[in-house]
Amino acid sequence: MDEVVVTGYANINKNTFTGNVKTIKSEELMQVSRTNVLKAISTFDPSFRIAENNVFGSDPNALPEINIRGHSSIGTMQLDKDKFSKANLEKNPNTPTFIMDGFEVSIQKVYDMDPNRIENITILKDAAATAMYGSRAANGVIVITTKDPEAGKVRVSYNFTSTLEVPDLRDYNLMNAKEKLDAEVKAGIFAPNKELGEYEGDHWYWKKYNAVYIEGVETDWMALPLRNAFQHRHSLNVESGNNNIRYSFDLNYSGDNGVMKGSKRNNVGAGFDVYITLGKFQLSNSVTYNNTISEESPYGSFSDYTHQLPYDKFTDEYGNLLNVLYAWGDAGTKLNPMYEASLDNFEKHKNDEIINNLQIRWDIGKGFMIQASVGLQKNWKERKQFIDPKSNKGSQKLSNNNLLAGDLYTIDGNSSKWNTRLGLSYNASLGRNNLNFSVIGEINQSNSYMISTHYVGFATGTSADINNASKVKDKPTKSEHVSRYAGLNGIFNYSFDNIYLADLSIRYEGSSIFGKEQQSTPYWSGGLGLNIHNYNFLKESILISRLKVRASYGQVGNVNFEPHMSHNYFQSQYDDWYITGYGNKLYYMGNPDLKSEKTNTLDVSLDVSLLQDKINFTATYYSKKTHDMINDVTVPSSSGFMTYKDNIGKIRNRGIELSLYANMLNSDDCFLSVYGNFAKNKEVLLKIADSMKRYNERVNEKYQDYDTGGNSYDKKYAEVYTKYEEGGSTTAFYGMKSLGIDPANGKEVFVDRVGNVTYDYIPSQQVIIGNTEPKGQGSFGFNFRWKNLTLSSVFQYEFGADRYNETLVNYVENANIRYANVDRRVLTQRWQNPGDIAPLKDIKDSQKTTRATSRFVQKYNLLSMSSLTLQYEFGERITRALHVDRLRLEANTGELFRCCSVKQERGLGYPFAKNFNFTLMVNF
């Protein structure tokens, strides 16, 4: 049987399909990772990109940020983001659409799912492959097919994976207590000056000397909130049936304890699938239930610990936790993060989900088939965050005048979704002609409901219940949204003599997200291909077994936005009563003319297979242009609003993709294959909105007060920002172009936009100083089997990107040597005397914050071993003795080594971790 491409709407013969797809089989996926589906996908397709999150690291409760072939939209701008908020990861308009067994699911569903249930994954990238999804297709589509139950005797499969997760702190280069004190002496901290007289400086030196050398204080602050975490996953599958009815039952559990103490994410799932075949009539029904309970670490942000002074104690002489840390000189009050961690603070999340998908197929005959499906999904979500009354982070501080402090934030909500689909398909071979077409109509509705409440005033930290709150602060807020879309698909696939290929897809769709006059939009694509290997002169070729060229062009859309953008929303003013009742004010101004973003995509590919498919090569060029980009439009503040949403802006992504697979050796006892892939993407903003120009002004304004009072010592001015200019990109970052440190006086020399040299830092003269988009990235690896032993490895790489090294800025050049631990490089490569040629300014000026400058931009080149797997399949003699059908042991590790050209601290809010996995698979 010819291999088919699973698109979620129709299965199309891969030999005659002109779309750009990548299919990953279950065994391939498992060789990379049994715990992280999304990470495994990224190793097979370099255009599937997971952004490195330097804030949340390996936090099990942080969803990854993903895009395919670059960004098609702007999303939340940097100034409007909370750097340490995970909500930014959930509301990303560049996230691809995920389809599981024909129904759309959330990225969280895929993130939490049991990999053992997956049969294969298909990545749809170009318009020919994705246009059938219309307004959901601009960012690509990931189609996941789960395993069907097989007929036969009752079979039981059990998989157990245990994981040891170890904090990865190799990118931190901090001083110990003795090194820190020595650095302070060399930096002149204790020298007589206006702040500290000769006696005072000498006094504090001996105080610290006593702590370091007499008392031997050496606090490993980074170790305090961390642990080696043990995780375990279990999956049980029971299946059986005959030719008329097949069924399977699944149970799975995963307990993911993060490397920060107290953080965890536990999932429990169950599913029941049944397949009934009665002649030409087929019915399948799948029902699944999932429960997720997650908790954030009570130890707070990892950044609260990393730069604490190593000679600071966090307990008194009796072992009691200190509320605040010791103040050395004029250090002021410093909170003790370990005291906060000892309180009854918590943040807990709970999510329950139930899904029922029903699908019916009726083979009418003569190539015609009717398909119908109904999908129902229901979610219940809860979130509780409690701040202990004794905490220093509450909205009210505990005091003699206020005996009730503490906060409880609650969010309760639910959401539901239903989808129904009806289609007619035809598949036939008429002589040398192959026809495959489908007409499919569908309707979808989503509802969401959420209430947020803030309670204050609790007697103790153990009374975190709404019944124990003294009052509700402010009025609870409620949000409720309904969105609908309906679509009609026409999908046509044709081949002549299995040589000349054509695809056509048309979708007409209406969505309630957009304005009344713009709710209905057509999406389309067309593709042409040529199977050159099927010409007579190549059919008998020993060298070339496959030579295919294909091209497609089409238009798709994006609806990954809030559902209320085109509608006005009002808020009731219960405090202002009139004779006719209370008043209402306009809370959000919608745009009734708002329409979908549209992305036009050109894709050209070449597929080559040699030596009876032993060597396979694919090359692709693509160009994506998004217009009608949804952005904020600035309006006069007298209107009561600063912005509203409109279709303004254009962005283009162009790139190439290469992949190579070679089967080097294949015999009964030995097998060896090698593979590699490469992708390059270049993004350009072709047109920007006025709101983006206003945003650029806001970035400039961030630096305006730098020279006022003591602001020049504020670390917030060291942050580097993205701006939006035509010819730039969403991955570019801006700063002043630097010529380095002037050897004569130790001051930094800048160049403005027109080439003038100056000592003055002028925010409006910032230019692009770097881009986080790599020149190229991909992966390579091998699979080797000798008899029952299999070894496989995957390496990932990227090169040519830029990084702004914040560690060099904040903890080397601008290091606060007096009050915080710093990087060991703090005293090296400094300007000291006239004539010195050095990359860093004088240490005497180190506390004055360095603003964004090209001096700290470094090339980011990376090579890592992302996966190493060793498997052993026990032979028939042992399995028969154990009365099992199959027995396999497996060991796997992720990122065993990592070589990077930029030396900076990683995992600022939550550290990264290394994983060591051990798996047992048994079939009965």
Side-chain angles (χ1 to χ4, degrees):
M1 181 178 177
D2 291 331
E3 187 176 354
V4 299
V5 175
V6 181
T7 66
Y9 280 101
N11 295 341
I12 304 173
N13 189 321
K14 184 177 181 179
N15 292 326
T16 64
F17 189 49
T18 63
N20 194 321
V21 301
K22 172 65 179 179
T23 300
I24 308 165
K25 297 179 181 178
S26 175
E27 285 297 317
E28 297 172 320
L29 198 72
M30 292 300 185
Q31 287 177 346
V32 176
S33 177
R34 288 185 176 271
T35 59
N36 192 327
V37 174
L38 298 172
K39 179 66 175 177
I41 295 174
S42 69
T43 66
F44 291 97
D45 193 325
S47 290
F48 183 94
R49 303 175 183 183
I50 301 177
E52 182 181 66
N53 194 319
N54 202 32
V55 174
F56 296 117
S58 63
D59 189 340
N61 297 317
L63 294 177
E65 182 179 348
I66 297 171
N67 71 77
I68 296 178
R69 292 182 169 181
H71 301 107
S72 65
S73 190
I74 296 295
T76 305
M77 297 184 183
Q78 187 178 350
L79 283 178
D80 302 321
K81 290 181 179 180
D82 180 351
K83 186 176 182 180
F84 289 91
S85 172
K86 297 174 187 175
N88 302 318
L89 305 176
E90 299 172 3
K91 301 176 181 179
N92 187 351
N94 294 297
T95 300
T97 297
F98 291 89
I99 305 295
M100 185 180 298
D101 294 329
F103 297 90
E104 184 175 356
V105 295
S106 66
I107 185 175
Q108 180 175 319
K109 173 73 172 178
V110 180
Y111 180 71
D112 288 330
M113 80 173 299
D114 177 16
N116 292 290
R117 293 192 62 228
I118 296 175
E119 178 68 29
N120 58 62
I121 295 176
T122 303
I123 306 172
L124 312 179
K125 295 186 284 187
D126 69 331
T130 63
M132 60 193 74
Y133 287 96
S135 62
R136 298 172 289 165
N139 303 311
V141 180
I142 311 298
V143 180
I144 300 173
T145 303
T146 59
K147 294 178 179 178
D148 292 341
E150 296 183 6
K153 66 177 184 178
V154 176
R155 284 180 301 277
V156 180
S157 301
Y158 172 71
N159 288 272
F160 167 71
T161 299
S162 62
T163 300
L164 176 64
E165 194 170 52
V166 180
D168 184 0
L169 304 178
R170 56 189 150 180
D171 293 302
Y172 283 87
N173 187 32
L174 298 172
M175 295 179 175
N176 59 35
K178 293 179 180 180
E179 291 171 332
K180 180 63 171 60
L181 182 57
D182 184 54
E184 292 178 13
V185 173
K186 293 179 180 178
I189 296 299
F190 305 107
N193 53 50
K194 293 181 180 179
E195 287 78 20
L196 297 172
E198 183 174 359
Y199 168 77
E200 287 294 322
D202 194 54
H203 168 75
W204 289 114
Y205 169 75
W206 288 110
K207 290 278 286 186
K208 293 184 178 181
Y209 181 92
N210 182 71
V212 174
Y213 288 97
I214 305 303
E215 297 181 44
V217 179
E218 185 66 71
T219 303
D220 188 354
W221 282 98
M222 287 196 294
L224 294 177
L226 301 183
R227 64 186 176 186
N228 293 331
F230 178 73
Q231 305 169 358
H232 52 106
R233 297 189 174 215
H234 309 261
S235 64
L236 177 69
N237 174 265
V238 180
E239 62 180 358
S240 183
N242 52 43
N243 292 332
N244 294 327
I245 183 169
R246 294 169 288 143
Y247 65 88
S248 68
F249 178 71
D250 294 280
L251 282 174
N252 63 82
Y253 170 81
S254 65
D256 292 348
N257 297 312
V259 293
M260 281 198 74
K261 295 174 181 177
S263 63
K264 67 179 184 179
R265 187 180 188 88
N266 294 340
N267 287 281
V268 177
F272 180 73
D273 297 346
V274 61
Y275 290 75
I276 300 174
T277 302
L278 298 174
K280 296 183 177 181
F281 182 84
Q282 295 182 4
L283 180 148
S284 65
N285 192 82
S286 172
V287 57
T288 59
Y289 167 77
N290 285 280
N291 168 266
T292 302
I293 297 177
S294 61
E295 293 187 25
E296 303 295 341
S297 172
Y299 285 77
S301 173
F302 190 50
S303 61
D304 294 337
Y305 300 84
T306 50
H307 290 277
Q308 296 288 353
L309 294 169
Y311 46 70
D312 264 347
K313 300 176 183 179
F314 61 92
T315 60
D316 61 20
E317 61 269 27
Y318 304 107
N320 300 314
L321 286 168
L322 297 169
N323 193 327
V324 295
L325 300 177
Y326 186 75
W328 302 97
D330 58 348
T333 301
K334 289 199 305 180
L335 299 180
N336 181 4
M338 288 298 292
Y339 172 77
E340 288 289 333
S342 71
L343 302 178
D344 291 306
N345 303 320
F346 66 78
E347 182 177 345
K348 301 178 180 180
H349 300 254
K350 181 182 178 183
N351 182 58
D352 289 283
E353 175 189 69
I354 186 166
I355 299 175
N356 190 89
N357 294 330
L358 172 67
Q359 300 186 70
I360 299 172
R361 297 199 324 177
W362 179 24
D363 187 355
I364 303 174
K366 297 184 178 180
F368 286 96
M369 180 180 293
I370 292 178
Q371 301 181 67
S373 65
V374 177
L376 304 173
Q377 179 178 322
K378 183 74 174 181
N379 288 77
W380 296 267
K381 293 186 177 182
E382 296 179 10
R383 173 184 178 269
K384 291 183 178 180
Q385 181 183 7
F386 180 68
I387 300 177
D388 193 291
K390 297 179 182 178
S391 173
N392 293 295
K393 299 181 179 180
S395 62
Q396 301 181 49
K397 298 295 186 293
L398 198 64
S399 66
N400 292 332
N401 298 322
N402 180 33
L403 299 180
L404 291 175
D407 301 84
L408 177 63
Y409 300 88
T410 65
I411 296 178
D412 294 286
N414 60 71
S415 62
S416 61
K417 179 188 293 186
W418 60 264
N419 173 280
T420 183
R421 186 184 299 173
L422 179 64
L424 173 68
S425 63
Y426 176 75
N427 191 347
S429 295
L430 305 175
R432 298 162 69 184
N433 301 281
N434 252 310
L435 300 174
N436 186 341
F437 76 81
S438 301
V439 179
I440 306 167
E442 68 176 318
I443 302 175
N444 177 294
Q445 177 172 305
S446 300
N447 302 67
S448 64
Y449 172 89
M450 190 170 293
I451 293 180
S452 302
T453 311
H454 180 190
Y455 301 90
V456 295
F458 295 85
T460 66
T462 58
S463 59
D465 186 88
I466 60 175
N467 292 321
N468 298 322
S470 63
K471 63 178 181 179
V472 176
K473 186 176 182 180
D474 302 324
K475 183 171 68 70
T477 59
K478 170 188 170 184
S479 64
E480 188 171 6
H481 299 292
V482 178
S483 62
R484 304 179 182 89
Y485 75 78
L488 181 64
N489 270 344
I491 305 169
F492 178 76
N493 171 254
Y494 170 79
S495 68
F496 177 76
D497 212 17
N498 203 15
I499 296 177
Y500 305 99
L501 319 173
D503 285 287
L504 178 65
S505 179
I506 300 175
R507 180 179 176 91
Y508 194 75
E509 182 180 305
S511 174
S512 64
I513 291 179
F514 304 109
K516 292 182 178 180
E517 303 301 322
Q518 306 292 341
Q519 289 184 342
S520 299
T521 307
Y523 303 96
W524 53 271
S525 73
L528 295 174
L530 196 63
N531 281 332
I532 301 174
H533 57 276
N534 284 332
Y535 278 107
N536 289 331
F537 71 93
L538 280 179
K539 275 188 175 181
E540 305 301 325
S541 173
I542 299 176
L543 175 63
I544 299 176
S545 52
R546 180 181 177 87
L547 182 59
K548 181 179 181 180
V549 293
R550 48 193 167 87
S552 67
Y553 185 77
Q555 183 177 89
V556 292
N558 187 2
V559 292
N560 288 342
F561 299 96
E562 296 291 347
H564 60 260
M565 296 184 303
S566 61
H567 308 284
N568 293 332
Y569 278 77
F570 294 86
Q571 186 177 63
S572 299
Q573 303 295 102
Y574 294 106
D575 295 331
D576 297 324
W577 285 83
Y578 302 92
I579 193 170
T580 56
Y582 57 81
N584 291 293
K585 74 172 184 178
L586 188 62
Y587 177 72
Y588 178 86
M589 184 169 67
N591 180 1
D593 295 321
L594 194 70
K595 55 188 175 182
S596 167
E597 289 185 347
K598 297 181 181 65
T599 300
N600 292 347
T601 301
L602 171 68
D603 190 284
V604 181
S605 296
L606 170 68
D607 299 325
V608 180
S609 296
L610 306 175
L611 303 175
Q612 296 181 338
D613 296 338
K614 289 183 178 179
I615 299 175
N616 299 275
F617 174 76
T618 299
T620 299
Y621 166 81
Y622 65 85
S623 178
K624 292 178 16 178
K625 183 186 292 186
T626 300
H627 56 94
D628 293 331
M629 200 161 54
I630 295 177
N631 283 295
D632 290 328
V633 174
T634 305
V635 296
S637 58
S638 58
S639 66
F641 299 88
M642 295 297 293
T643 61
Y644 73 99
K645 299 291 185 183
D646 204 353
N647 296 101
I648 297 177
K650 294 181 181 179
I651 189 171
R652 183 185 67 205
N653 286 274
R654 285 178 176 170
I656 59 172
E657 300 166 349
L658 305 173
S659 69
L660 175 67
Y661 174 87
N663 189 342
M664 308 294 292
L665 183 63
N666 193 358
S667 65
D668 291 339
D669 290 336
C670 194
F671 173 84
L672 174 64
S673 66
V674 296
Y675 60 91
N677 54 53
F678 168 84
K680 173 182 174 59
N681 182 75
K682 183 177 177 63
E683 176 195 297
V684 178
L685 284 166
L686 302 177
K687 180 182 178 182
I688 65 171
D690 289 339
S691 60
M692 295 182 185
K693 298 175 183 177
R694 172 57 188 149
Y695 174 83
N696 294 341
E697 294 174 4
R698 287 174 57 198
V699 173
N700 295 338
E701 292 167 0
K702 291 285 290 185
Y703 300 99
Q704 281 185 352
D705 298 329
Y706 177 82
D707 295 315
T708 303
N711 287 343
S712 60
Y713 298 95
D714 194 328
K715 297 299 183 185
K716 71 179 183 181
Y717 293 104
E719 189 167 357
V720 64
Y721 290 93
T722 296
K723 290 184 178 180
Y724 301 96
E725 295 182 355
E726 292 177 2
S729 74
T730 63
T731 55
F733 52 90
Y734 287 68
M736 284 287 285
K737 184 178 179 181
S738 176
L739 295 179
I741 302 298
D742 190 337
N745 54 28
K747 294 183 178 180
E748 186 169 11
V749 183
F750 302 104
V751 179
D752 66 17
R753 283 178 172 265
V754 295
N756 297 319
V757 178
T758 178
Y759 288 116
D760 298 325
Y761 191 100
I762 309 170
S764 62
Q765 297 300 305
Q766 290 180 340
V767 295
I768 295 175
I769 58 174
N771 196 318
T772 58
E773 185 79 28
K775 302 292 184 186
Q777 67 177 24
S779 63
F780 60 91
F782 67 87
N783 291 301
F784 174 74
R785 177 182 58 80
W786 181 71
K787 295 186 177 180
N788 292 354
L789 189 68
T790 301
L791 177 67
S792 61
S793 182
V794 179
F795 298 81
Q796 289 186 293
Y797 67 90
E798 68 172 90
F799 61 88
D802 298 307
R803 290 293 187 274
Y804 192 73
N805 196 326
E806 295 181 356
T807 302
L808 283 180
V809 178
N810 294 324
Y811 301 112
V812 179
E813 175 155 299
N814 292 338
N816 190 342
I817 300 179
R818 188 187 299 271
Y819 302 128
N821 202 356
V822 294
D823 191 283
R824 286 189 172 94
R825 295 171 288 181
V826 69
L827 297 178
T828 62
Q829 300 179 313
R830 291 279 190 179
W831 184 93
Q832 299 181 42
N833 302 299
D836 287 350
I837 298 176
L840 303 178
K841 65 184 181 183
D842 190 350
I843 196 170
K844 297 182 180 64
D845 197 31
S846 64
Q847 292 186 40
K848 195 168 185 179
T849 300
T850 300
R851 288 168 286 185
T853 164
S854 62
R855 192 159 48 94
F856 292 97
V857 177
Q858 298 179 331
K859 283 297 176 186
Y860 186 82
N861 303 314
L862 173 68
L863 175 64
S864 68
M865 178 184 282
S866 59
S867 175
L868 178 66
T869 303
L870 181 66
Q871 296 177 352
Y872 184 77
E873 189 89 24
F874 287 88
E876 185 178 353
R877 182 174 60 87
I878 295 178
T879 57
R880 185 179 299 170
L882 295 173
H883 303 287
V884 297
D885 293 335
R886 187 179 187 186
L887 179 64
R888 176 192 287 177
L889 289 177
E890 178 183 300
N892 168 273
T893 181
E895 204 163 271
L896 194 61
F897 81 83
R898 183 179 188 275
C899 182
C900 182
S901 61
V902 177
K903 305 302 179 184
Q904 66 174 347
E905 295 176 0
R906 300 169 64 237
L908 304 180
Y910 196 106
F912 284 88
K914 292 183 287 187
N915 298 306
F916 303 91
N917 306 302
F918 304 91
T919 300
L920 169 67
M921 185 182 75
V922 185
N923 293 350
F924 299 91

